[in-house]
Amino acid sequence: MGFEKQGFSEMNFNPGCSEQKMEALFTSIAEQSIVRTILEGSGGPDNEEFTEDGLRFVRYLLSISRSTRFGFLPNFKDMDTIQELARQFIRYCGGATIALQTLNRVTEADAA
């Protein structure tokens, strides 16, 4: 038969997407999810309704924040500050995947 044997290590299942692009995509998704949860827990710039899960996550962020221990609270009414908090949380966790897992674990209803 006319088959050429190709090893699995050589196969490319994502021909148009490099590993760096995928990591950037995952980081962006994680950042937006974390920002949304912070907004749900703080009311955000628009003073939206709080959710219990969001409030639980904001409390968690404050508990792990070094600046909070010294009496400095982040401005949850400023979107730039909220986005920076999300980026810091991703770095703190070591990556987007672990950050999303931690977010899920903290916001679960049984966590309280």
Side-chain angles (χ1 to χ4, degrees):
M1 307 234 171
F3 291 115
E4 290 184 28
K5 201 169 188 178
Q6 184 179 16
F8 284 112
S9 63
E10 298 173 17
M11 294 179 76
N12 185 3
F13 292 104
N14 295 322
C17 212
S18 70
E19 202 171 304
Q20 294 161 336
K21 288 181 184 177
M22 291 297 286
E23 183 63 31
L25 178 67
F26 291 147
T27 302
S28 176
I29 291 169
E31 182 180 327
Q32 292 306 311
S33 296
I34 293 166
V35 165
R36 187 189 60 215
T37 307
I38 292 171
L39 290 174
E40 291 173 356
S42 67
D46 299 329
N47 291 323
E48 296 176 9
E49 195 71 28
F50 288 63
T51 64
E52 194 171 318
D53 291 343
L55 188 56
R56 187 178 302 122
F57 184 67
V58 168
R59 288 179 186 156
Y60 175 77
L61 282 178
L62 292 175
S63 73
I64 63 171
S65 170
R66 186 174 183 187
S67 61
T68 302
R69 287 183 228 144
F70 294 107
F72 297 102
L73 295 177
N75 181 5
F76 289 112
K77 301 300 179 191
D78 180 36
M79 278 305 289
D80 292 334
T81 302
I82 293 171
Q83 289 174 335
E84 184 56 34
L85 280 171
R87 290 184 200 114
Q88 287 176 2
F89 181 68
I90 292 169
R91 283 192 299 271
Y92 173 81
C93 289
T97 305
I98 297 171
L100 284 176
Q101 289 172 349
T102 304
L103 170 70
N104 186 40
R105 190 184 71 230
V106 169
T107 59
E108 285 180 350
D110 297 335

